[in-house]
């Protein structure tokens, strides 16, 4: 009987093993199209000579090396896919192959100016020029608005992706907990592994990651830049929030228990690294340099010289790009620090929304992608995944397109106003208020500290003003000389009073210049070799300096028609007489002159 029992036992074990194998095979067939499912197989082992065969467990087909390579390719694919999608939308904005856009409007406007040189008194020519100018300005504003809308849509998508990343990290941590509690080698265990791998692949789609096996089935997930996403059963959080200012003090300032903090107003798509390069108090000797790539290179002027800015308090804000920068204390932006700034003090300004990773201690660390001037990625930031691509489009590519659009707008405004400001219309002025203001009326107009929109375009030269009496007789003239490297707005005001016939008004609270005629007199503008009139917005046609500014408009209404005349005593053809209503200061374009040098050319100023 024992022999028969042994045979039956062996047969039973064989049937049981085959049944398990058939169940696993059937499960494989049923899940052939299930995303994330790994094929499973039964592992059989020899039993004793009376037990037959045993099922040792159910294993899944998995190769850690292949999976790591796959995760890496997912991240690269989705980064460039996000960039391609974003740039495709922007490309359509500037595609003028089938439609009349900015290029056609610009050509029409300059063609109108050419017509006006031979028909200066033609109301039809004047009206056409004004209409085409308005069309061009509308197209520029529309393009800028579309770029802003595209950026806003991307920011909404980025915020949603960050929320998804947080949910996935929590899901992986929960899977680790369940896997730790499950029995290894079962179908349920393998299903948990597949579910976790699916979550990890979704994380890899959002950001480039590395996965580390902790043993006993638990995994840790890290961003390729080093930040922890999941550590066993603990998940870490990410946020998409307004950028924070980080200060890193030198040993000297730490010893002095410095309370200095850097502040700013404005927004920008770049991060600003402020490094103190001269010891001294705020407003009394301290100076700083600025980098847009984390301190790898520094902003330079057109000659390649590193720009140095004065460190001032709130009353003397310094214009750098789109920002107004000043120094206060950690508790009060309007108070001066109690100790001097020291060489090596560094402040990082993030005037935009950025993605942050929070440590276990609750300390935020920015991980938004950053490129150096040579085009390489900052390895301590996001370098792959959809989040990286979306952030690059929103902050870098759209920012570059906006800068190019603003550069075109700024150049057009300057060149038009440069010529227009030297002419006159059918009537003379009794008063003229400039449209551009200076942040510091005592700083040289060509200095960045002056904050004058077109200050970098000024040249040494002279500007002419002609004064007439009520009878229209020329009674006097004045030549306002300018050296932009030394003359401030207050210096210019002191020079700009023609003999006994007109008076210059001191800069107002908005730091704009004004020229007023004395009773019984009026005046006209003439040749200007320095560009002073255009830079101050005196006798100009256009206002503003960027494509998206609300105040970018022509200062003539089409219902008013004025003839073009050569002013008496002036040898240059002029432009249309403007209405004498003033406009507020328009912020300088971000990368004009020196600032554009680093962003577009990416030529390191100083490694």
């Amino acid at each position: 009987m024992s022999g028969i029992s042994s045979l039956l036992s062996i047969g039973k074990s064989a049937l049981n093993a085959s049944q398990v194998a058939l169940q696993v095979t059937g499960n494989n067939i049923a899940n052939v199209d299930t995303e994330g499912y790994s094929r499973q197989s039964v592992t059989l082992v020899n039993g004793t000579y009376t037990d037959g065969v045993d099922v040792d467990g159910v294993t899944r087909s998995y190769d850690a090396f292949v999976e790591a390579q796959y995760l890496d390719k997912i991240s690269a694919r989705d980064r460039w896919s996000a960039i391609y999608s974003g740039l495709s939308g922007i490309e359509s904005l500037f595609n003028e192959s089938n439609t009349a856009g900015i290029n056609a409007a610009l050509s029409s406007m300059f063609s109108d100016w050419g017509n006006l040189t031979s028909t200066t008194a033609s109301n039809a020519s004047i009206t056409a020029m004004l209409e085409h100018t308005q069309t061009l300005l509308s197209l520029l504003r529309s393009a800028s608005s579309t770029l802003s809308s595209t950026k806003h849509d991307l920011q909404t998508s980025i915020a949603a992706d960050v929320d998804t990343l947080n949910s996935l990290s929590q899901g992986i941590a929960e899977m680790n907990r369940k896997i730790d509690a499950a029995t290894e080698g079962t179908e349920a265990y393998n299903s948990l592994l597949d579910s976790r791998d699916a979550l990890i692949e979704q994380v890899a789609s959002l950001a480039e990651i590395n996965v580390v096996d902790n043993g006993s089935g638990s995994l840790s997930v890290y961003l390729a830049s080093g930040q922890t996403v999941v550590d066993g059963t603990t998940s870490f959080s990410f946020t998409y929030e307004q950028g924070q200012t980080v200060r890193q003090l030198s040993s000297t300032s730490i010893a002095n228990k410095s309370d200095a903090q850097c502040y700013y107003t404005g927004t920008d798509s770049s991060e600003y690294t402020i490094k103190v390069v001269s010891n001294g108090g705020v407003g009394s000797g301290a100076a700083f340099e600025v980098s847009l790539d984390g301190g790898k290179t520094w902003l330079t002027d057109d000659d390649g010289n590193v720009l140095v800015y004065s460190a001032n308090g709130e009353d003397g804000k310094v214009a750098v790009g789109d920002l107004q920068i000043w120094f206060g204390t950690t508790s009060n932006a309007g108070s001066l620090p109690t100790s001097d700034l020291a060489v090596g003090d560094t402040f990082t300004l993030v005037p935009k929304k950025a993605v942050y990773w929070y440590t276990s201690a609750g300390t935020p660390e920015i991980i938004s992608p950053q490129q150096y001037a040579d085009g390489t990625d900052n390895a301590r930031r996001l370098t792959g995944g959809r989040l990286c691509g979306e952030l690059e489009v929103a902050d870098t590519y759209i920012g570059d397109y906006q800068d190019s659009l603003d550069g075109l707008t700024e150049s057009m405004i300057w060149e038009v106003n440069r010529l227009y400001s030297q002419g006159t219309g059918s009537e003379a002025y009794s008063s003229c208020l400039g449209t551009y203001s200076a942040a510091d009326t005592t700083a040289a107009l060509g200095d960045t500290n002056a904050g004058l929109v077109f200050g970098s375009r000024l040249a040494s030269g002279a500007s002419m003003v002609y004064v007439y009496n009520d009878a229209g007789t020329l009674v006097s003239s004045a030549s306002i000389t300018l050296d932009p490297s030394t003359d401030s707005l207050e210096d210019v005001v002191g020079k700009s009073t023609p003999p006994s016939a007109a008076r210059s008004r001191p800069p107002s609270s908005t730091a704009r210049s004004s020229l007023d005629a004395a009773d019984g007199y009026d005046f006209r503008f003439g040749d200007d070799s320095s560009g002073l009139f255009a830079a101050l917005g005196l006798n100009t046609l256009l206002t503003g300096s960027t494509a998206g500014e609300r105040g970018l408009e022509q200062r003539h209404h089409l219902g008013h028609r004025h003839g073009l005349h050569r002013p008496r005593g002036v040898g240059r053809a002029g432009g249309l007489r403007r209405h004498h209503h003033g406009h507020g200061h328009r912020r300088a374009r971000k990368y004009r002159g020196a600032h554009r040098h680093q962003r577009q050319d990416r030529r390191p100023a100083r490694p």
Side-chain angles (χ1 to χ4, degrees):
M1 293 296 294
S2 60
I4 295 176
S5 296
S6 295
L7 290 174
L8 291 175
S9 178
I10 292 172
K12 180 180 178 181
S13 67
L15 289 173
N16 288 337
S18 297
Q19 184 178 25
V20 172
L22 286 172
Q23 289 173 342
V24 171
T25 300
N27 193 48
N28 287 337
I29 295 172
N31 287 281
V32 66
D33 292 323
T34 301
E35 185 176 356
Y37 178 81
S38 298
R39 184 173 60 85
Q40 299 179 6
S41 59
V42 177
T43 302
L44 304 177
V45 295
N46 294 328
T48 64
Y49 71 94
T50 59
D51 293 334
V53 64
D54 291 331
V55 175
D56 186 53
V58 179
T59 60
R60 65 180 190 136
S61 299
Y62 178 81
D63 188 310
F65 176 77
V66 172
E67 182 69 12
Q69 296 298 306
Y70 179 59
L71 294 178
D72 183 62
K73 299 307 178 185
I74 288 176
S75 299
R77 177 199 67 191
D78 289 350
R79 174 190 181 181
W80 295 111
S81 177
I83 291 175
Y84 175 80
S85 177
L87 292 183
S88 295
I90 296 173
E91 181 183 31
S92 63
L93 176 63
F94 296 102
N95 183 7
E96 300 183 1
S97 58
N98 298 318
T99 59
I102 293 174
N103 181 59
L106 190 62
S107 297
S108 295
M109 188 191 75
F110 283 119
S111 176
D112 292 336
W113 280 105
N115 293 335
L116 281 172
T117 60
S118 57
T119 56
T120 58
S122 170
N123 287 332
S125 297
I126 294 170
T127 300
M129 184 274 291
L130 291 175
E131 288 177 342
H132 288 147
T133 299
Q134 187 59 54
T135 297
L136 175 61
L137 297 179
S138 296
L139 288 171
L140 291 171
R141 280 196 297 268
S142 176
S144 180
S145 176
T146 301
L147 287 175
S148 296
S149 297
T150 302
K151 183 173 183 177
H152 180 268
D153 292 342
L154 279 169
Q155 289 177 330
T156 300
S157 178
I158 291 167
D161 284 343
V162 169
D163 289 341
T164 300
L165 179 58
N166 287 326
S167 296
L168 291 172
S169 65
Q170 294 167 8
I172 294 171
E174 178 62 17
M175 283 296 173
N176 279 337
R177 185 189 65 77
K178 291 180 178 180
I179 290 170
D180 285 343
T183 301
E184 186 175 358
T186 63
E187 287 188 73
Y189 183 85
N190 291 332
S191 295
L192 288 173
L193 293 179
D194 283 347
S195 297
R196 186 180 62 185
D197 284 349
L199 295 177
I200 291 174
E201 288 177 8
Q202 292 181 60
V203 173
S205 175
L206 293 172
E208 187 176 3
I209 57 174
N210 293 318
V211 180
V212 177
D213 190 343
N214 298 328
S216 70
S218 178
L219 293 178
S220 290
V221 181
Y222 302 90
L223 295 180
S225 50
Q227 296 82 8
T228 306
V229 181
V230 179
D231 183 13
T233 58
T234 302
S235 62
F236 290 74
S237 63
F238 299 82
T239 63
Y240 185 49
E241 61 187 69
Q242 182 56 42
Q244 304 179 31
T245 297
V246 177
R247 65 174 193 155
Q248 295 174 295
L249 299 180
S250 63
S251 57
T252 300
S253 290
I254 292 175
N256 292 334
K257 298 181 179 180
S258 173
D259 61 349
Q261 180 62 291
C262 188
Y263 292 91
Y264 67 90
T265 58
T267 60
D268 202 328
S269 59
S270 295
E271 299 171 31
Y272 284 55
T273 300
I274 309 298
K275 184 179 73 174
V276 176
V277 294
S278 295
N279 295 321
V282 172
S284 58
F288 63 91
E289 297 173 355
V290 179
S291 171
L292 301 180
D293 61 358
K296 294 293 184 180
T297 60
W298 303 90
L299 292 183
T300 64
D301 60 20
D302 292 332
D303 296 322
N305 301 310
V306 176
L307 290 168
V308 178
Y309 302 86
S310 298
N312 298 328
E314 188 173 16
D315 291 339
K317 297 174 184 176
V318 176
V320 184
D322 276 350
L323 305 186
Q324 297 284 331
I325 296 174
W326 77 95
F327 290 83
T329 67
T330 52
S331 59
N332 192 333
S335 299
L336 296 180
T338 56
S339 59
D340 289 352
L341 295 176
V343 172
D345 289 345
T346 304
F347 304 84
T348 302
L349 313 180
V350 186
K352 61 178 180 178
K353 294 190 71 175
V355 176
Y356 285 87
W357 167 76
Y358 277 78
T359 67
S360 56
T363 304
E365 179 182 330
I366 188 171
I367 61 169
S368 288
Q370 183 182 56
Q371 283 193 337
Y372 297 132
D374 61 2
T376 59
D377 293 324
N378 181 346
R380 284 292 298 170
R381 304 289 187 87
L382 291 173
T383 56
R386 187 167 70 247
L387 262 176
C388 179
E390 289 173 335
L391 285 163
E392 285 183 299
V393 174
D395 293 340
T396 302
Y397 290 101
I398 289 182
D400 286 345
Y401 274 108
Q402 187 67 64
D403 286 343
S404 297
L405 190 64
D406 287 345
L408 169 65
T409 304
E410 182 189 281
S411 295
M412 181 199 71
I413 290 173
W414 170 256
E415 296 301 337
V416 169
N417 284 346
R418 182 75 175 82
L419 294 174
Y420 189 94
S421 63
Q422 300 176 73
T424 187
S426 58
E427 301 175 12
Y429 284 103
S430 60
S431 177
C432 185
L433 176 64
T435 61
Y436 298 106
S437 64
D440 185 349
T441 60
T442 62
L445 290 177
D447 193 303
T448 54
N449 291 318
L452 191 63
V453 173
F454 294 106
S456 63
R457 296 178 181 266
L458 289 168
S460 295
S463 310
M464 297 299 300
V465 178
Y466 297 88
V467 181
Y468 301 84
N469 59 23
D470 286 343
T473 302
L474 177 65
V475 296
S476 64
S477 63
S479 175
I480 307 171
T481 59
L482 175 71
D483 182 348
S485 65
T486 58
D487 289 333
S488 66
L489 182 58
E490 292 185 1
D491 294 331
V492 170
V493 169
K495 295 179 180 181
S496 59
T497 304
S500 70
R503 59 185 181 279
S504 56
R505 188 191 305 170
S508 64
S509 58
T510 57
R512 289 182 288 158
S513 60
S514 176
L515 191 63
D516 299 325
D519 292 340
Y521 297 90
D522 52 25
F523 59 90
R524 300 175 186 271
F525 294 92
D527 286 339
D528 179 10
S529 59
S530 66
L532 178 64
F533 296 153
L536 295 179
L538 293 168
N539 191 36
T540 52
L541 175 68
L542 304 175
T543 66
S545 62
T546 64
E549 284 184 291
R550 185 176 181 181
L552 176 60
E553 60 186 2
Q554 60 190 36
R555 296 167 62 195
H556 279 280
H557 301 290
L558 299 183
H560 295 267
R561 299 177 179 178
H562 303 271
L564 277 164
H565 299 281
R566 294 179 182 272
R568 286 157 290 185
V570 181
R572 173 186 288 275
L576 298 170
R577 173 185 174 274
R578 72 170 181 82
H579 293 291
H580 310 311
H581 48 72
H583 295 263
H585 170 57
R586 304 299 192 263
R587 189 175 61 206
R589 195 179 72 80
K590 175 180 173 185
Y591 292 108
R592 71 174 187 276
H595 306 302
R596 193 185 310 120
H597 174 76
Q598 185 195 46
R599 178 83 176 231
Q600 294 181 350
D601 296 341
R602 296 195 181 280
R603 295 194 292 266
R606 187 177 70 188

